[in-house]
Amino acid sequence: MEAQIEITGLNPRGCGVGCHLPLAGKAIDVEVEGSVPGDRLRVVLGRVRRGKASGRVVEILSPAADRVVPPCGHVALCGGCSLQQVEYKGQLRWKEERIRKLFSPLLSDGGEIYPIVASPAIWAYRNKMEFSFSRDLKGEHFVGLAIRGGRGKVVNLQECHLAPPSAAALLAAVREFAISSSLDPYHFRSNSGVLRTLLYRVSKRTGDQLVMLTVARGEDSPLNLAAREAFVALCKRVCGERLTVLLREHEIAEGARSLFTTERLLGVGSMIEELHLPSYPALRFRISPTAFFQPNTAAAELLYEAALRLARITSNTTVYDLFCGTGTLGCLAATRAKEVICVEINEEAVQDAYINIALNGLRGISVHQGDVATFRPETAPKESVILLDPPRAGLGPGSLAPILSIGADRIVYLSCNPTSQVSDLHPLLQSGYRLTAIQP
């Protein structure tokens, strides 16, 4: 069934939404990938379920003012981007409106939602990309990002406007390597094949680069010496000298946890990134291959600057950096605070955090490995601040009690998922905290 609809908004997935009023029956909420608020479209409607349907664009009858031509030739297939067709100013406006809608009802009297902060770079801003492998029935190899709704199929990327400029050349070289070495992509349903993922990390400040190939392991190592040397050679040819190359073997046994073994083929096994905040000294951070680090370095500097400004840290402040990861925020706070106490469950991230403390010559900062849910402070300091930067899913069960037991004067909560953040705020507000500032 075809219908004409006007797109009135974007949902959290970045898809345009509008309403179709059939001549008979109830209104249908329609989700249209690739559409822009203000578009007037002719679409083909999919199956209607509970008053909702997806729509496929047949014709753009009248384009929205914010509609632009996407720069990437893969945008129709690739699942890596959903908003390239929306001018960046329009994206910012939509994001700020969504934040205001979610958080305004929770603001205390006198509380403020500040104007949204734009990323300094719109394209080629990511310092980390993870690519997948696949092969079709004709035997053609694919290396790139997953096709949107493709059930494991992969786009053979010739360009990527999110990734560092060298990513396209690396993908092309790795694709040729896969073909020449006769290594099949891993197929999870049959648990067969070798090539699983390709991780590429680039330091925006130091120029360090890291490439990690993850392969499936059976009884024997899937890459012989000649294949390893060939892989290192192609990485050096594309990436240059400031380079670490790793091979990670992923072993799966039915009914058991996955096992990972990482072998360093070239370099030091990690890379160094620097953060230059306007009001804080520049610090250096070691990043292990799988450790979390904000993927947009320049935007991370603005994010952390804003968070620390809201934290109002002085030389008398004790800071609790919960879900600290590699200690990035805690290390920055330690340049001003009386004491910083970090908590992180991931063992590799904790090791990075200790190295980052030493790398920057910081004192008065400690790291505790364990779940935030089981953390208990020894004493309650007179002046304290909690910095929260949990995973996308939010604080998780059991974390609220330890957070409240600290009795901190202020809590600064960083999140990449405002929906889970709003959910987490309710019990904090019910416990006596007030929401006084939001910085999108």
Side-chain angles (χ1 to χ4, degrees), residues 58-70:
V58 175
E59 182 183 2
I60 299 176
L61 301 173
S62 176
D66 288 328
R67 175 173 282 280
V68 294
V69 177

mmCIF file with all atom_site columns, all heavy atoms in Angstrom, residues 58-70:
data_model
loop_
_atom_site.group_PDB
_atom_site.id
_atom_site.type_symbol
_atom_site.label_atom_id
_atom_site.label_alt_id
_atom_site.label_comp_id
_atom_site.label_asym_id
_atom_site.label_entity_id
_atom_site.label_seq_id
_atom_site.pdbx_PDB_ins_code
_atom_site.Cartn_x
_atom_site.Cartn_y
_atom_site.Cartn_z
_atom_site.occupancy
_atom_site.B_iso_or_equiv
_atom_site.pdbx_formal_charge
_atom_site.auth_seq_id
_atom_site.auth_comp_id
_atom_site.auth_asym_id
_atom_site.auth_atom_id
_atom_site.pdbx_PDB_model_num
ATOM 1  N N   . VAL A 1 58 ? 9.439  5.969  -1.953 1.00 0.00 ? 58 VAL A N   1
ATOM 2  C CA  . VAL A 1 58 ? 9.283  5.823  -3.396 1.00 0.00 ? 58 VAL A CA  1
ATOM 3  C C   . VAL A 1 58 ? 9.649  7.126  -4.093 1.00 0.00 ? 58 VAL A C   1
ATOM 4  O O   . VAL A 1 58 ? 10.311 7.134  -5.130 1.00 0.00 ? 58 VAL A O   1
ATOM 5  C CB  . VAL A 1 58 ? 7.842  5.419  -3.762 1.00 0.00 ? 58 VAL A CB  1
ATOM 6  C CG1 . VAL A 1 58 ? 7.662  5.378  -5.274 1.00 0.00 ? 58 VAL A CG1 1
ATOM 7  C CG2 . VAL A 1 58 ? 7.486  4.086  -3.131 1.00 0.00 ? 58 VAL A CG2 1
ATOM 8  N N   . GLU A 1 59 ? 9.240  8.244  -3.483 1.00 0.00 ? 59 GLU A N   1
ATOM 9  C CA  . GLU A 1 59 ? 9.495  9.551  -4.089 1.00 0.00 ? 59 GLU A CA  1
ATOM 10 C C   . GLU A 1 59 ? 9.514  10.608 -3.004 1.00 0.00 ? 59 GLU A C   1
ATOM 11 O O   . GLU A 1 59 ? 8.699  10.582 -2.072 1.00 0.00 ? 59 GLU A O   1
ATOM 12 C CB  . GLU A 1 59 ? 8.396  9.884  -5.105 1.00 0.00 ? 59 GLU A CB  1
ATOM 13 C CG  . GLU A 1 59 ? 8.592  11.208 -5.823 1.00 0.00 ? 59 GLU A CG  1
ATOM 14 C CD  . GLU A 1 59 ? 7.456  11.530 -6.767 1.00 0.00 ? 59 GLU A CD  1
ATOM 15 O OE1 . GLU A 1 59 ? 6.487  10.726 -6.841 1.00 0.00 ? 59 GLU A OE1 1
ATOM 16 O OE2 . GLU A 1 59 ? 7.507  12.596 -7.417 1.00 0.00 ? 59 GLU A OE2 1
ATOM 17 N N   . ILE A 1 60 ? 10.469 11.532 -3.103 1.00 0.00 ? 60 ILE A N   1
ATOM 18 C CA  . ILE A 1 60 ? 10.486 12.706 -2.230 1.00 0.00 ? 60 ILE A CA  1
ATOM 19 C C   . ILE A 1 60 ? 9.676  13.789 -2.927 1.00 0.00 ? 60 ILE A C   1
ATOM 20 O O   . ILE A 1 60 ? 10.120 14.376 -3.916 1.00 0.00 ? 60 ILE A O   1
ATOM 21 C CB  . ILE A 1 60 ? 11.917 13.182 -1.948 1.00 0.00 ? 60 ILE A CB  1
ATOM 22 C CG1 . ILE A 1 60 ? 12.721 12.086 -1.242 1.00 0.00 ? 60 ILE A CG1 1
ATOM 23 C CG2 . ILE A 1 60 ? 11.902 14.459 -1.092 1.00 0.00 ? 60 ILE A CG2 1
ATOM 24 C CD1 . ILE A 1 60 ? 14.186 12.439 -1.017 1.00 0.00 ? 60 ILE A CD1 1
ATOM 25 N N   . LEU A 1 61 ? 8.473  14.040 -2.435 1.00 0.00 ? 61 LEU A N   1
ATOM 26 C CA  . LEU A 1 61 ? 7.586  15.012 -3.060 1.00 0.00 ? 61 LEU A CA  1
ATOM 27 C C   . LEU A 1 61 ? 8.047  16.438 -2.774 1.00 0.00 ? 61 LEU A C   1
ATOM 28 O O   . LEU A 1 61 ? 7.978  17.310 -3.644 1.00 0.00 ? 61 LEU A O   1
ATOM 29 C CB  . LEU A 1 61 ? 6.154  14.799 -2.554 1.00 0.00 ? 61 LEU A CB  1
ATOM 30 C CG  . LEU A 1 61 ? 5.567  13.403 -2.814 1.00 0.00 ? 61 LEU A CG  1
ATOM 31 C CD1 . LEU A 1 61 ? 4.216  13.266 -2.125 1.00 0.00 ? 61 LEU A CD1 1
ATOM 32 C CD2 . LEU A 1 61 ? 5.440  13.150 -4.312 1.00 0.00 ? 61 LEU A CD2 1
ATOM 33 N N   . SER A 1 62 ? 8.512  16.642 -1.544 1.00 0.00 ? 62 SER A N   1
ATOM 34 C CA  . SER A 1 62 ? 9.003  17.962 -1.151 1.00 0.00 ? 62 SER A CA  1
ATOM 35 C C   . SER A 1 62 ? 10.079 17.765 -0.087 1.00 0.00 ? 62 SER A C   1
ATOM 36 O O   . SER A 1 62 ? 9.775  17.274 1.004  1.00 0.00 ? 62 SER A O   1
ATOM 37 C CB  . SER A 1 62 ? 7.863  18.822 -0.595 1.00 0.00 ? 62 SER A CB  1
ATOM 38 O OG  . SER A 1 62 ? 8.349  20.064 -0.129 1.00 0.00 ? 62 SER A OG  1
ATOM 39 N N   . PRO A 1 63 ? 11.350 18.094 -0.376 1.00 0.00 ? 63 PRO A N   1
ATOM 40 C CA  . PRO A 1 63 ? 12.415 17.843 0.595  1.00 0.00 ? 63 PRO A CA  1
ATOM 41 C C   . PRO A 1 63 ? 12.375 18.824 1.754  1.00 0.00 ? 63 PRO A C   1
ATOM 42 O O   . PRO A 1 63 ? 11.964 19.978 1.596  1.00 0.00 ? 63 PRO A O   1
ATOM 43 C CB  . PRO A 1 63 ? 13.690 18.010 -0.232 1.00 0.00 ? 63 PRO A CB  1
ATOM 44 C CG  . PRO A 1 63 ? 13.299 18.952 -1.324 1.00 0.00 ? 63 PRO A CG  1
ATOM 45 C CD  . PRO A 1 63 ? 11.860 18.657 -1.636 1.00 0.00 ? 63 PRO A CD  1
ATOM 46 N N   . ALA A 1 64 ? 12.830 18.370 2.919  1.00 0.00 ? 64 ALA A N   1
ATOM 47 C CA  . ALA A 1 64 ? 12.925 19.225 4.097  1.00 0.00 ? 64 ALA A CA  1
ATOM 48 C C   . ALA A 1 64 ? 14.033 20.259 3.917  1.00 0.00 ? 64 ALA A C   1
ATOM 49 O O   . ALA A 1 64 ? 14.982 20.055 3.145  1.00 0.00 ? 64 ALA A O   1
ATOM 50 C CB  . ALA A 1 64 ? 13.203 18.375 5.331  1.00 0.00 ? 64 ALA A CB  1
ATOM 51 N N   . ALA A 1 65 ? 13.933 21.343 4.662  1.00 0.00 ? 65 ALA A N   1
ATOM 52 C CA  . ALA A 1 65 ? 14.958 22.392 4.592  1.00 0.00 ? 65 ALA A CA  1
ATOM 53 C C   . ALA A 1 65 ? 16.308 21.878 5.076  1.00 0.00 ? 65 ALA A C   1
ATOM 54 O O   . ALA A 1 65 ? 17.356 22.356 4.624  1.00 0.00 ? 65 ALA A O   1
ATOM 55 C CB  . ALA A 1 65 ? 14.522 23.591 5.425  1.00 0.00 ? 65 ALA A CB  1
ATOM 56 N N   . ASP A 1 66 ? 16.305 20.895 5.989  1.00 0.00 ? 66 ASP A N   1
ATOM 57 C CA  . ASP A 1 66 ? 17.547 20.356 6.539  1.00 0.00 ? 66 ASP A CA  1
ATOM 58 C C   . ASP A 1 66 ? 18.114 19.197 5.718  1.00 0.00 ? 66 ASP A C   1
ATOM 59 O O   . ASP A 1 66 ? 19.141 18.637 6.087  1.00 0.00 ? 66 ASP A O   1
ATOM 60 C CB  . ASP A 1 66 ? 17.335 19.872 7.983  1.00 0.00 ? 66 ASP A CB  1
ATOM 61 C CG  . ASP A 1 66 ? 17.161 21.014 8.965  1.00 0.00 ? 66 ASP A CG  1
ATOM 62 O OD1 . ASP A 1 66 ? 17.763 22.082 8.731  1.00 0.00 ? 66 ASP A OD1 1
ATOM 63 O OD2 . ASP A 1 66 ? 16.432 20.849 9.961  1.00 0.00 ? 66 ASP A OD2 1
ATOM 64 N N   . ARG A 1 67 ? 17.443 18.814 4.636  1.00 0.00 ? 67 ARG A N   1
ATOM 65 C CA  . ARG A 1 67 ? 17.926 17.683 3.849  1.00 0.00 ? 67 ARG A CA  1
ATOM 66 C C   . ARG A 1 67 ? 19.140 18.100 3.023  1.00 0.00 ? 67 ARG A C   1
ATOM 67 O O   . ARG A 1 67 ? 19.139 19.147 2.373  1.00 0.00 ? 67 ARG A O   1
ATOM 68 C CB  . ARG A 1 67 ? 16.826 17.144 2.933  1.00 0.00 ? 67 ARG A CB  1
ATOM 69 C CG  . ARG A 1 67 ? 17.298 16.028 1.996  1.00 0.00 ? 67 ARG A CG  1
ATOM 70 C CD  . ARG A 1 67 ? 16.178 15.400 1.229  1.00 0.00 ? 67 ARG A CD  1
ATOM 71 N NE  . ARG A 1 67 ? 15.423 14.455 2.041  1.00 0.00 ? 67 ARG A NE  1
ATOM 72 C CZ  . ARG A 1 67 ? 15.799 13.208 2.300  1.00 0.00 ? 67 ARG A CZ  1
ATOM 73 N NH1 . ARG A 1 67 ? 16.950 12.759 1.819  1.00 0.00 ? 67 ARG A NH1 1
ATOM 74 N NH2 . ARG A 1 67 ? 15.037 12.418 3.019  1.00 0.00 ? 67 ARG A NH2 1
ATOM 75 N N   . VAL A 1 68 ? 20.188 17.266 3.061  1.00 0.00 ? 68 VAL A N   1
ATOM 76 C CA  . VAL A 1 68 ? 21.388 17.487 2.265  1.00 0.00 ? 68 VAL A CA  1
ATOM 77 C C   . VAL A 1 68 ? 21.726 16.183 1.539  1.00 0.00 ? 68 VAL A C   1
ATOM 78 O O   . VAL A 1 68 ? 21.205 15.115 1.875  1.00 0.00 ? 68 VAL A O   1
ATOM 79 C CB  . VAL A 1 68 ? 22.591 17.919 3.139  1.00 0.00 ? 68 VAL A CB  1
ATOM 80 C CG1 . VAL A 1 68 ? 22.346 19.276 3.760  1.00 0.00 ? 68 VAL A CG1 1
ATOM 81 C CG2 . VAL A 1 68 ? 22.881 16.872 4.222  1.00 0.00 ? 68 VAL A CG2 1
ATOM 82 N N   . VAL A 1 69 ? 22.602 16.283 0.549  1.00 0.00 ? 69 VAL A N   1
ATOM 83 C CA  . VAL A 1 69 ? 23.060 15.094 -0.170 1.00 0.00 ? 69 VAL A CA  1
ATOM 84 C C   . VAL A 1 69 ? 24.137 14.407 0.662  1.00 0.00 ? 69 VAL A C   1
ATOM 85 O O   . VAL A 1 69 ? 25.160 15.024 0.984  1.00 0.00 ? 69 VAL A O   1
ATOM 86 C CB  . VAL A 1 69 ? 23.624 15.463 -1.553 1.00 0.00 ? 69 VAL A CB  1
ATOM 87 C CG1 . VAL A 1 69 ? 24.162 14.219 -2.261 1.00 0.00 ? 69 VAL A CG1 1
ATOM 88 C CG2 . VAL A 1 69 ? 22.559 16.147 -2.396 1.00 0.00 ? 69 VAL A CG2 1
ATOM 89 N N   . PRO A 1 70 ? 23.945 13.159 1.055  1.00 0.00 ? 70 PRO A N   1
ATOM 90 C CA  . PRO A 1 70 ? 24.962 12.461 1.856  1.00 0.00 ? 70 PRO A CA  1
ATOM 91 C C   . PRO A 1 70 ? 26.275 12.344 1.084  1.00 0.00 ? 70 PRO A C   1
ATOM 92 O O   . PRO A 1 70 ? 26.272 12.037 -0.116 1.00 0.00 ? 70 PRO A O   1
ATOM 93 C CB  . PRO A 1 70 ? 24.343 11.080 2.103  1.00 0.00 ? 70 PRO A CB  1
ATOM 94 C CG  . PRO A 1 70 ? 22.880 11.260 1.882  1.00 0.00 ? 70 PRO A CG  1
ATOM 95 C CD  . PRO A 1 70 ? 22.754 12.320 0.829  1.00 0.00 ? 70 PRO A CD  1
#
